Amino acid sequence: MMMMISMESAVVKLPPSLRTIKLNPNRKNRILRTAPFASSASAPAPAPLSTDPQLGPGSLGHLTRPDFPILHQEVNGKRLVYLDNAATSQKPAAVVDALRNYYELYNSNVHRGIHYLSAKATDEYELARQKVSNFINASESREIVFTRNATEAINLVAYSWGLSNLKEGDEVILTIAEHHSAIVPWQFVAQKTGAVLKFVNLGEDEVPDVGKLREMISKRAKLVVVHHVSNVLASVLPIDQVVSWAHDVGAKVLVDACQSVPHMVVDVRSLDTDFLVASSHKMCGPTGIGFLYGKSELLSSMPPFLGGGEMIADVYLDHSTYAELPSKFEAGTPAIGEAIGLGTAIDYLSAIGMQKIHEYEVELANYLYDRLSSVPSVRVYGPKPSRSVTRAALCSFNVEDVHPTDIATFLDQQHGVAIRSGHHCAQPLHRYLGVNSSARASLHFYNTKEDVDDFIISLYDTINFFASFK
Amino acid sequence: MGSFTARTHLSTSPPSFFTNPPKINFMDAGPSHIHLNPRTPASKNPPISRFPLNPTSKNPIFPLSCVAIEHYNKVQPSSSVSEKLQRLGFEFRSLPAPIDRVRRLLKYAEILPPFDESWRVQENRVQGCATQVWLEAAMDGNGATRFRIDSDSEITKGFCSCLIWVLDGAAAEEVLSVRADDLVAMNVGLPSKGNSRVNAWNNVLMSMQRRTKVLVEERRTECVPSFICCNQTQVMIHERERELLVRRSF
């Protein structure tokens, strides 16, 4: 049943920063960081001014930074340089305001209340669902199931579709670069059903071997679970081809789009994927909400995942009947405010334009890779960017003889630079690469070239510091 | 500034768990240098056996009494552990700049006692850390707990070095009475005191305490002669009488 959507809420408002081309007058257009060095080692040569106008003054990063209040603070006496976006993104003021407005003006439970507040909350919640649907070009909003996050969405597919459709000997094809959330639920299913998990290794350039992936998709394959963009390698898989190969043998495809939806145009109908998952908090939305996209005929055939209120039609003592899509998979009171916040985040991103965001981030990604891979004793994982190979705007790396946690600790303590260290929920990948952990710097459209410069200068200082103790 | 034993290449001979640890002093009030101070001489720490005690030994080394074990949770740390914690906290609080605390930790990492490769097994891995940490624990004849720790992160090694200094050779009840808050001053700027994976020292401390409880329980099991029935009261009375006998004999 199509709901009447309040058109006044659907008007897209441009972020304030994009209505003019003026820079924030309080912001310095610094090229080099001037933090004192911890040791006496020589400083790296200043990076040449980028000739790419996308990264210079007036870049997308410079224009959007004022919209993110959290970025304008100091950490340990230094300007915060936030480079941990693959873990979670920051939220524009519009999203924060949307959450506040919800709780201040119309917080109410959704779907069955008849009073004004409930009707308003229901309208906004379902409008958010429509926004997600439009954002990824789904056929209809009932193909969008709100979950707590992408992890829960994958578990939904595993327990609902997997347990009903997989049997002994069936194969689930994955890559060793998958996030734990895309691996572990299928281990549960494999244990219960006797299905077999098969993993594709990396090939040249430290990218999952697409040729081997194609070979592995045999008639025994019933499901292919792959990332769109790797949160460690920064590589991008040809999902449209993978889907084509899978469908040729009658297999379904589940795409983990956590690192792609926030950074580029993702069109589920163009990809023709059967399932796709993403998390709000990685795309400038609140935590606590994510979504599963599934083709309506698939979702309709799947049994419920969680049972309880909202997902039922009638409840008797000995059995119950279930609601239609998408409610069948949304048991209990949903994260209403958070869904509305996600809708606002989508408005914000759409106003900029995902293609524009992607183009800027590709340039920033190349700049980050070039600068980082030029630092002596640094090893960057994943493919080298080129005209035919696009990297996401993140670099996982290791420094010879220095633990990544030590690197991250010093960068934070001495320079206010926030990166991540560890296995990034990709232990099989790290094991394959022969390391226990790595450091990772990951960018988003509100990062600037100066952020990268500050990071690199700070990294030189960090490496020199630890070298002085050897 | 004195010298201290750097980490040596591990020999192929059986691990000498109780090599006399290097003489170090964490009680320096200022950040400028590190003094030496003698630790408890090795002669006061009888060699521990990791196998059950021989009850027919001429010099019986009786374990912690079963009664004492019941009270370990209520005992306050002795002045030695408590004093060390206070001094450690004072030392790190006197280093206001994070880089100075990192430097100090890296210095302490250099003097971490050697860790034998045979101890680097999965059972000794401290779970929950962002870095790899291995912990070997044992108990000597006097009921003192002995620890050796290693990590692949230099900062974590520094934390572990401090933990070793505080707790290696301490009585079980002292180890178990240390609270995470006692070590906050060592924390290199991290505001979280909770179960974050980043708080390696917190995870290591909890692991040291878990292993200590296991050692205490193992020792309690060993101290019950086979002819004693499962009557808890009789066991406790028996062990109390044995302890009194031992004390009178010395």
Side-chain angles (χ1 to χ4, degrees), chain A residues 160-200:
Chain A
S160 176
W161 183 89
L163 290 181
S164 302
N165 290 276
L166 294 176
K167 57 185 186 304
E168 186 160 359
D170 287 342
E171 293 178 356
V172 178
I173 313 300
L174 309 96
T175 80
I176 57 156
E178 298 310 316
H179 190 283
H180 294 166
S181 294
I183 297 176
V184 178
W186 299 106
Q187 292 175 339
F188 295 159
V189 170
Q191 286 165 11
K192 290 180 189 303
T193 64
V196 176
L197 305 188
K198 300 188 76 170
F199 293 87
V200 177

Side-chain angles (χ1 to χ4, degrees), chain B residues 7 112-115 117 120 132-136 148-153 156-157 160:
Chain B
R7 295 195 68 212
L112 186 67
F115 191 87
E117 284 303 311
R120 207 180 302 276
Q132 293 189 94
V133 182
W134 295 269
L135 168 67
E136 174 73 7
R148 287 294 181 269
I149 314 176
D150 196 18
S151 174
D152 58 351
S153 153
T156 303
K157 272 187 196 164
C160 294

Side-chain angles (χ1 to χ4, degrees), chain A residues 38-39 76 401-403 405-406 409-410 412-414 420-423 436-437 465-466 469-470, chain B residues 98-99 101-104 106-107 110 125 130-132 152-156 188-190 197-198:
Chain A
S39 66
N76 296 319
D401 293 334
V402 187
H403 196 282
T405 298
D406 293 346
T409 301
F410 193 85
D412 171 63
Q413 288 297 296
Q414 184 66 4
R420 185 153 289 260
S421 71
H423 49 64
N436 291 309
S437 53
F465 174 83
F466 283 99
F469 278 87
K470 303 232 182 287
Chain B
I99 189 173
R101 290 198 292 274
V102 172
R103 277 208 185 97
R104 185 58 59 90
L106 294 181
K107 283 289 186 188
E110 290 177 354
R125 279 286 304 275
T131 62
Q132 293 189 94
D152 58 351
S153 153
E154 293 301 309
I155 292 178
T156 303
V188 184
L190 294 169
R197 285 200 302 275
V198 186

